[in-house]
Amino acid sequence: MKKEDIRIIFMGTPEFAVETLKRLVENDYPVVAVVTQPDKPVGRHQDTLQPSAVKQYALSKGIPVLQPVKMKDPDFIEQLRSYHADLQVVVAFRMLPEVVWDMPRWGTFNVHAALLPQYRGAAPINWAVINGETETGVTTFFLDKDIDTGRIIKQKRFAITDEANVETVYDGLMYLGADIAMETIDDLLAADGKIPTIAQEDMLLPEGTVLLPAPKIFRETCMINWQQSAKKVYDFVRGLSPYPGAWTNLVSPDGRKTVLKIFKTVKTNGICLKDSPTETLCVRGNQLFVKTADNWLELSELQLSGKKRMQARDFLNGIRDIEKYTLE
């Protein structure tokens, strides 16, 4: 089958998905329609509707856009069926019912930002960094009835450096995801849809491997536990930076609490360990340190509630006697 003869429906919502859609369009793969989330209310009064990044790109290219509220809506199903798609490609979208993913003759494959079966779930990039992984990747797999459990088609690996935050890994996987999607489609074209796959339960994993989940991240998920090791706090902060951002409560000497977001920390070698008057926060010059369960950690980039994100030296200029404060 030739490339120009295939009919593709693309499903996705955020910026992460746009790169794959863009690659399809720029390489002349016929994308006959795009499915994305309904426009999201934004603004102080939630009176402005913001289209998804995928919708904005699709409309700029003249591609029809479908935005169902419910994926099982009969009108949506009928409209989707009318495009007679050979294949559906999903990147960073919602769970699909069988009536949708089983519709095309070649099925529906998803690009997942992890090396399945590890990190099934909504936030695989965040959790890989939070857990201190040194490697992650992208996986294409055919959808089935459960979340992220389908038969694996291809995988590509991506190194996570010790300094990388979630934004760095996100950007890397966004482009790698586009690469693997294109390769998967080309393989399908060459084999008329009949390509080899492997069940996730048959994947060869190192002995003793524990499968870790990647659940959706909520505000309470992002609160820092200072009773952990410095390494765990360090990874936790970079796994949530810059968005949604790890946070803690800054407690003043009189007990007032203010939310403090922390975007970057720096590992130390026991600096201030014996010199801190409160054994919680410590200042040395224009550097700010916090005590964890086993070591001190430098707080490098912070944002006090109602203020702008700033370097620690600027933060220290705005608060007197910071060593009398605590974090919780």
Side-chain angles (χ1 to χ4, degrees), residues 105-140:
R105 67 187 185 98
W106 286 358
T108 301
F109 78 77
N110 183 75
V111 178
H112 187 71
L115 297 173
L116 291 173
Q118 283 286 17
Y119 296 109
R120 294 169 176 159
I125 304 176
N126 296 93
W127 286 108
V129 181
I130 288 171
N131 290 334
E133 302 285 3
T134 58
E135 184 181 63
T136 185
V138 288
T139 302
T140 52

mmCIF file of all heavy atoms in Angstrom, residues 105-140:
data_model
loop_
_atom_site.group_PDB
_atom_site.id
_atom_site.type_symbol
_atom_site.label_atom_id
_atom_site.label_comp_id
_atom_site.label_asym_id
_atom_site.label_seq_id
_atom_site.Cartn_x
_atom_site.Cartn_y
_atom_site.Cartn_z
ATOM 1 N N ARG A 105 -9.297 -0.796 10.132
ATOM 2 C CA ARG A 105 -8.922 -2.158 9.751
ATOM 3 C C ARG A 105 -7.532 -2.522 10.260
ATOM 4 O O ARG A 105 -7.234 -3.707 10.494
ATOM 5 C CB ARG A 105 -9.013 -2.338 8.240
ATOM 6 C CG ARG A 105 -8.011 -1.547 7.405
ATOM 7 C CD ARG A 105 -8.330 -1.679 5.919
ATOM 8 N NE ARG A 105 -7.332 -1.031 5.078
ATOM 9 C CZ ARG A 105 -6.332 -1.674 4.495
ATOM 10 N NH1 ARG A 105 -6.203 -2.979 4.646
ATOM 11 N NH2 ARG A 105 -5.465 -1.020 3.727
ATOM 12 N N TRP A 106 -6.649 -1.533 10.434
ATOM 13 C CA TRP A 106 -5.322 -1.795 10.994
ATOM 14 C C TRP A 106 -5.260 -1.548 12.494
ATOM 15 O O TRP A 106 -4.209 -1.695 13.100
ATOM 16 C CB TRP A 106 -4.266 -0.929 10.294
ATOM 17 C CG TRP A 106 -3.935 -1.393 8.911
ATOM 18 C CD1 TRP A 106 -4.428 -2.493 8.262
ATOM 19 C CD2 TRP A 106 -3.030 -0.768 8.006
ATOM 20 N NE1 TRP A 106 -3.886 -2.590 6.998
ATOM 21 C CE2 TRP A 106 -3.018 -1.542 6.804
ATOM 22 C CE3 TRP A 106 -2.225 0.356 8.055
ATOM 23 C CZ2 TRP A 106 -2.248 -1.216 5.702
ATOM 24 C CZ3 TRP A 106 -1.442 0.690 6.954
ATOM 25 C CH2 TRP A 106 -1.452 -0.099 5.789
ATOM 26 N N GLY A 107 -6.367 -1.159 13.078
ATOM 27 C CA GLY A 107 -6.395 -0.922 14.508
ATOM 28 C C GLY A 107 -5.951 0.477 14.891
ATOM 29 O O GLY A 107 -5.883 1.404 14.062
ATOM 30 N N THR A 108 -5.620 0.639 16.158
ATOM 31 C CA THR A 108 -5.212 1.928 16.727
ATOM 32 C C THR A 108 -3.953 1.720 17.545
ATOM 33 O O THR A 108 -3.922 0.860 18.435
ATOM 34 C CB THR A 108 -6.313 2.494 17.647
ATOM 35 O OG1 THR A 108 -7.521 2.656 16.894
ATOM 36 C CG2 THR A 108 -5.905 3.831 18.240
ATOM 37 N N PHE A 109 -2.906 2.489 17.253
ATOM 38 C CA PHE A 109 -1.724 2.392 18.105
ATOM 39 C C PHE A 109 -1.502 3.692 18.853
ATOM 40 O O PHE A 109 -1.886 4.769 18.418
ATOM 41 C CB PHE A 109 -0.473 1.941 17.333
ATOM 42 C CG PHE A 109 0.222 2.993 16.506
ATOM 43 C CD1 PHE A 109 1.044 3.958 17.081
ATOM 44 C CD2 PHE A 109 0.101 2.984 15.116
ATOM 45 C CE1 PHE A 109 1.712 4.905 16.307
ATOM 46 C CE2 PHE A 109 0.759 3.927 14.333
ATOM 47 C CZ PHE A 109 1.566 4.898 14.941
ATOM 48 N N ASN A 110 -0.895 3.553 20.018
ATOM 49 C CA ASN A 110 -0.623 4.666 20.908
ATOM 50 C C ASN A 110 0.881 4.862 21.040
ATOM 51 O O ASN A 110 1.653 3.895 21.021
ATOM 52 C CB ASN A 110 -1.236 4.375 22.286
ATOM 53 C CG ASN A 110 -1.050 5.540 23.245
ATOM 54 O OD1 ASN A 110 -1.710 6.565 23.147
ATOM 55 N ND2 ASN A 110 -0.146 5.377 24.192
ATOM 56 N N VAL A 111 1.303 6.122 21.173
ATOM 57 C CA VAL A 111 2.687 6.440 21.508
ATOM 58 C C VAL A 111 2.717 6.777 22.996
ATOM 59 O O VAL A 111 2.125 7.764 23.425
ATOM 60 C CB VAL A 111 3.216 7.631 20.688
ATOM 61 C CG1 VAL A 111 4.650 7.966 21.109
ATOM 62 C CG2 VAL A 111 3.155 7.334 19.195
ATOM 63 N N HIS A 112 3.381 5.936 23.779
ATOM 64 C CA HIS A 112 3.442 6.128 25.232
ATOM 65 C C HIS A 112 4.849 6.555 25.627
ATOM 66 O O HIS A 112 5.833 5.958 25.183
ATOM 67 C CB HIS A 112 3.073 4.832 25.950
ATOM 68 C CG HIS A 112 2.953 4.984 27.435
ATOM 69 N ND1 HIS A 112 1.915 5.659 28.032
ATOM 70 C CD2 HIS A 112 3.754 4.541 28.442
ATOM 71 C CE1 HIS A 112 2.052 5.620 29.345
ATOM 72 N NE2 HIS A 112 3.177 4.946 29.619
ATOM 73 N N ALA A 113 4.949 7.554 26.493
ATOM 74 C CA ALA A 113 6.244 8.141 26.858
ATOM 75 C C ALA A 113 6.910 7.381 27.998
ATOM 76 O O ALA A 113 7.229 7.941 29.058
ATOM 77 C CB ALA A 113 6.062 9.604 27.215
ATOM 78 N N ALA A 114 7.125 6.095 27.791
ATOM 79 C CA ALA A 114 7.835 5.242 28.743
ATOM 80 C C ALA A 114 8.158 3.928 28.052
ATOM 81 O O ALA A 114 7.662 3.650 26.953
ATOM 82 C CB ALA A 114 6.986 4.992 29.996
ATOM 83 N N LEU A 115 8.986 3.127 28.694
ATOM 84 C CA LEU A 115 9.315 1.806 28.173
ATOM 85 C C LEU A 115 8.378 0.795 28.832
ATOM 86 O O LEU A 115 8.680 0.219 29.880
ATOM 87 C CB LEU A 115 10.783 1.462 28.473
ATOM 88 C CG LEU A 115 11.825 2.372 27.804
ATOM 89 C CD1 LEU A 115 13.225 2.041 28.313
ATOM 90 C CD2 LEU A 115 11.759 2.243 26.288
ATOM 91 N N LEU A 116 7.212 0.613 28.226
ATOM 92 C CA LEU A 116 6.237 -0.327 28.771
ATOM 93 C C LEU A 116 6.855 -1.724 28.881
ATOM 94 O O LEU A 116 7.728 -2.060 28.087
ATOM 95 C CB LEU A 116 5.004 -0.362 27.868
ATOM 96 C CG LEU A 116 4.150 0.902 27.865
ATOM 97 C CD1 LEU A 116 3.056 0.807 26.804
ATOM 98 C CD2 LEU A 116 3.534 1.174 29.229
ATOM 99 N N PRO A 117 6.476 -2.499 29.902
ATOM 100 C CA PRO A 117 5.335 -2.273 30.793
ATOM 101 C C PRO A 117 5.582 -1.340 31.974
ATOM 102 O O PRO A 117 4.692 -1.185 32.808
ATOM 103 C CB PRO A 117 5.022 -3.686 31.283
ATOM 104 C CG PRO A 117 6.352 -4.377 31.281
ATOM 105 C CD PRO A 117 7.061 -3.849 30.079
ATOM 106 N N GLN A 118 6.767 -0.736 32.062
ATOM 107 C CA GLN A 118 6.999 0.233 33.126
ATOM 108 C C GLN A 118 6.196 1.510 32.883
ATOM 109 O O GLN A 118 6.005 1.934 31.749
ATOM 110 C CB GLN A 118 8.486 0.601 33.225
ATOM 111 C CG GLN A 118 9.353 -0.438 33.890
ATOM 112 C CD GLN A 118 9.154 -0.503 35.402
ATOM 113 O OE1 GLN A 118 8.171 -0.009 35.940
ATOM 114 N NE2 GLN A 118 10.093 -1.140 36.089
ATOM 115 N N TYR A 119 5.757 2.110 33.968
ATOM 116 C CA TYR A 119 5.102 3.426 33.964
ATOM 117 C C TYR A 119 3.866 3.504 33.078
ATOM 118 O O TYR A 119 3.751 4.352 32.213
ATOM 119 C CB TYR A 119 6.125 4.515 33.621
ATOM 120 C CG TYR A 119 7.204 4.620 34.669
ATOM 121 C CD1 TYR A 119 8.498 4.195 34.417
ATOM 122 C CD2 TYR A 119 6.891 5.097 35.932
ATOM 123 C CE1 TYR A 119 9.483 4.253 35.400
ATOM 124 C CE2 TYR A 119 7.868 5.165 36.926
ATOM 125 C CZ TYR A 119 9.160 4.741 36.666
ATOM 126 O OH TYR A 119 10.116 4.789 37.644
ATOM 127 N N ARG A 120 2.946 2.581 33.331
ATOM 128 C CA ARG A 120 1.627 2.696 32.727
ATOM 129 C C ARG A 120 0.869 3.794 33.473
ATOM 130 O O ARG A 120 0.896 3.842 34.696
ATOM 131 C CB ARG A 120 0.857 1.377 32.849
ATOM 132 C CG ARG A 120 1.447 0.223 32.064
ATOM 133 C CD ARG A 120 0.778 -1.080 32.475
ATOM 134 N NE ARG A 120 1.254 -2.215 31.674
ATOM 135 C CZ ARG A 120 1.165 -3.478 32.069
ATOM 136 N NH1 ARG A 120 0.615 -3.757 33.242
ATOM 137 N NH2 ARG A 120 1.605 -4.455 31.294
ATOM 138 N N GLY A 121 0.190 4.647 32.723
ATOM 139 C CA GLY A 121 -0.581 5.687 33.388
ATOM 140 C C GLY A 121 -0.435 7.042 32.736
ATOM 141 O O GLY A 121 0.178 7.190 31.674
ATOM 142 N N ALA A 122 -0.974 8.059 33.408
ATOM 143 C CA ALA A 122 -1.129 9.388 32.820
ATOM 144 C C ALA A 122 0.115 10.264 32.869
ATOM 145 O O ALA A 122 0.226 11.209 32.098
ATOM 146 C CB ALA A 122 -2.283 10.119 33.519
ATOM 147 N N ALA A 123 1.048 9.974 33.771
ATOM 148 C CA ALA A 123 2.193 10.885 33.954
ATOM 149 C C ALA A 123 3.521 10.127 33.965
ATOM 150 O O ALA A 123 4.293 10.222 34.923
ATOM 151 C CB ALA A 123 2.021 11.684 35.237
ATOM 152 N N PRO A 124 3.833 9.387 32.912
ATOM 153 C CA PRO A 124 5.049 8.558 32.919
ATOM 154 C C PRO A 124 6.342 9.350 32.953
ATOM 155 O O PRO A 124 7.334 8.890 33.537
ATOM 156 C CB PRO A 124 4.922 7.755 31.625
ATOM 157 C CG PRO A 124 4.056 8.587 30.730
ATOM 158 C CD PRO A 124 3.072 9.234 31.650
ATOM 159 N N ILE A 125 6.363 10.528 32.342
ATOM 160 C CA ILE A 125 7.607 11.304 32.316
ATOM 161 C C ILE A 125 7.924 11.821 33.713
ATOM 162 O O ILE A 125 9.057 11.703 34.196
ATOM 163 C CB ILE A 125 7.510 12.468 31.306
ATOM 164 C CG1 ILE A 125 7.146 11.939 29.920
ATOM 165 C CG2 ILE A 125 8.834 13.228 31.242
ATOM 166 C CD1 ILE A 125 6.924 13.019 28.868
ATOM 167 N N ASN A 126 6.928 12.390 34.381
ATOM 168 C CA ASN A 126 7.143 12.895 35.738
ATOM 169 C C ASN A 126 7.645 11.800 36.671
ATOM 170 O O ASN A 126 8.639 11.985 37.390
ATOM 171 C CB ASN A 126 5.848 13.465 36.313
ATOM 172 C CG ASN A 126 5.340 14.664 35.554
ATOM 173 O OD1 ASN A 126 4.529 14.511 34.644
ATOM 174 N ND2 ASN A 126 5.789 15.856 35.886
ATOM 175 N N TRP A 127 6.969 10.646 36.652
ATOM 176 C CA TRP A 127 7.311 9.601 37.612
ATOM 177 C C TRP A 127 8.667 8.972 37.331
ATOM 178 O O TRP A 127 9.369 8.562 38.267
ATOM 179 C CB TRP A 127 6.214 8.547 37.648
ATOM 180 C CG TRP A 127 4.991 9.039 38.365
ATOM 181 C CD1 TRP A 127 3.777 9.374 37.825
ATOM 182 C CD2 TRP A 127 4.871 9.292 39.772
ATOM 183 N NE1 TRP A 127 2.918 9.825 38.798
ATOM 184 C CE2 TRP A 127 3.553 9.780 40.001
ATOM 185 C CE3 TRP A 127 5.732 9.149 40.852
ATOM 186 C CZ2 TRP A 127 3.100 10.121 41.273
ATOM 187 C CZ3 TRP A 127 5.283 9.497 42.118
ATOM 188 C CH2 TRP A 127 3.984 9.974 42.325
ATOM 189 N N ALA A 128 9.066 8.902 36.076
ATOM 190 C CA ALA A 128 10.398 8.363 35.767
ATOM 191 C C ALA A 128 11.487 9.242 36.384
ATOM 192 O O ALA A 128 12.463 8.738 36.954
ATOM 193 C CB ALA A 128 10.596 8.264 34.259
ATOM 194 N N VAL A 129 11.315 10.562 36.307
ATOM 195 C CA VAL A 129 12.304 11.472 36.889
ATOM 196 C C VAL A 129 12.204 11.465 38.410
ATOM 197 O O VAL A 129 13.225 11.432 39.113
ATOM 198 C CB VAL A 129 12.128 12.899 36.330
ATOM 199 C CG1 VAL A 129 13.180 13.839 36.928
ATOM 200 C CG2 VAL A 129 12.235 12.911 34.806
ATOM 201 N N ILE A 130 10.986 11.519 38.942
ATOM 202 C CA ILE A 130 10.791 11.488 40.397
ATOM 203 C C ILE A 130 11.452 10.266 41.014
ATOM 204 O O ILE A 130 12.054 10.333 42.092
ATOM 205 C CB ILE A 130 9.283 11.503 40.740
ATOM 206 C CG1 ILE A 130 8.688 12.884 40.460
ATOM 207 C CG2 ILE A 130 9.043 11.113 42.200
ATOM 208 C CD1 ILE A 130 7.171 12.940 40.564
ATOM 209 N N ASN A 131 11.366 9.135 40.332
ATOM 210 C CA ASN A 131 11.929 7.885 40.858
ATOM 211 C C ASN A 131 13.416 7.718 40.582
ATOM 212 O O ASN A 131 13.994 6.670 40.867
ATOM 213 C CB ASN A 131 11.159 6.694 40.295
ATOM 214 C CG ASN A 131 9.757 6.589 40.864
ATOM 215 O OD1 ASN A 131 9.486 7.047 41.973
ATOM 216 N ND2 ASN A 131 8.841 5.996 40.106
ATOM 217 N N GLY A 132 14.023 8.747 40.004
ATOM 218 C CA GLY A 132 15.467 8.719 39.805
ATOM 219 C C GLY A 132 15.946 7.797 38.704
ATOM 220 O O GLY A 132 17.109 7.363 38.712
ATOM 221 N N GLU A 133 15.079 7.500 37.738
ATOM 222 C CA GLU A 133 15.490 6.640 36.625
ATOM 223 C C GLU A 133 16.594 7.307 35.805
ATOM 224 O O GLU A 133 16.609 8.523 35.637
ATOM 225 C CB GLU A 133 14.303 6.335 35.712
ATOM 226 C CG GLU A 133 13.117 5.670 36.382
ATOM 227 C CD GLU A 133 13.343 4.201 36.690
ATOM 228 O OE1 GLU A 133 14.456 3.694 36.430
ATOM 229 O OE2 GLU A 133 12.400 3.569 37.201
ATOM 230 N N THR A 134 17.480 6.503 35.286
ATOM 231 C CA THR A 134 18.543 7.021 34.410
ATOM 232 C C THR A 134 18.210 6.789 32.940
ATOM 233 O O THR A 134 18.942 7.223 32.061
ATOM 234 C CB THR A 134 19.885 6.356 34.732
ATOM 235 O OG1 THR A 134 19.760 4.934 34.585
ATOM 236 C CG2 THR A 134 20.313 6.680 36.158
ATOM 237 N N GLU A 135 17.103 6.097 32.700
ATOM 238 C CA GLU A 135 16.688 5.815 31.324
ATOM 239 C C GLU A 135 15.169 5.688 31.256
ATOM 240 O O GLU A 135 14.532 5.168 32.162
ATOM 241 C CB GLU A 135 17.334 4.530 30.834
ATOM 242 C CG GLU A 135 17.038 4.197 29.379
ATOM 243 C CD GLU A 135 17.683 2.892 28.939
ATOM 244 O OE1 GLU A 135 17.328 1.828 29.494
ATOM 245 O OE2 GLU A 135 18.526 2.933 28.044
ATOM 246 N N THR A 136 14.607 6.196 30.182
ATOM 247 C CA THR A 136 13.203 5.981 29.876
ATOM 248 C C THR A 136 13.108 5.790 28.364
ATOM 249 O O THR A 136 14.060 5.346 27.746
ATOM 250 C CB THR A 136 12.325 7.147 30.388
ATOM 251 O OG1 THR A 136 10.950 6.830 30.157
ATOM 252 C CG2 THR A 136 12.669 8.470 29.717
ATOM 253 N N GLY A 137 12.002 6.133 27.755
ATOM 254 C CA GLY A 137 11.900 5.973 26.314
ATOM 255 C C GLY A 137 10.477 6.142 25.831
ATOM 256 O O GLY A 137 9.638 6.708 26.538
ATOM 257 N N VAL A 138 10.220 5.662 24.635
ATOM 258 C CA VAL A 138 8.878 5.715 24.057
ATOM 259 C C VAL A 138 8.521 4.336 23.521
ATOM 260 O O VAL A 138 9.399 3.570 23.103
ATOM 261 C CB VAL A 138 8.772 6.769 22.933
ATOM 262 C CG1 VAL A 138 8.812 8.177 23.510
ATOM 263 C CG2 VAL A 138 9.872 6.584 21.891
ATOM 264 N N THR A 139 7.233 4.050 23.542
ATOM 265 C CA THR A 139 6.723 2.756 23.102
ATOM 266 C C THR A 139 5.517 2.968 22.195
ATOM 267 O O THR A 139 4.654 3.789 22.506
ATOM 268 C CB THR A 139 6.285 1.898 24.302
ATOM 269 O OG1 THR A 139 7.374 1.712 25.195
ATOM 270 C CG2 THR A 139 5.758 0.540 23.845
ATOM 271 N N THR A 140 5.446 2.248 21.091
ATOM 272 C CA THR A 140 4.192 2.166 20.342
ATOM 273 C C THR A 140 3.579 0.808 20.610
ATOM 274 O O THR A 140 4.274 -0.211 20.655
ATOM 275 C CB THR A 140 4.391 2.363 18.824
ATOM 276 O OG1 THR A 140 5.403 1.476 18.337
ATOM 277 C CG2 THR A 140 4.769 3.792 18.509
#
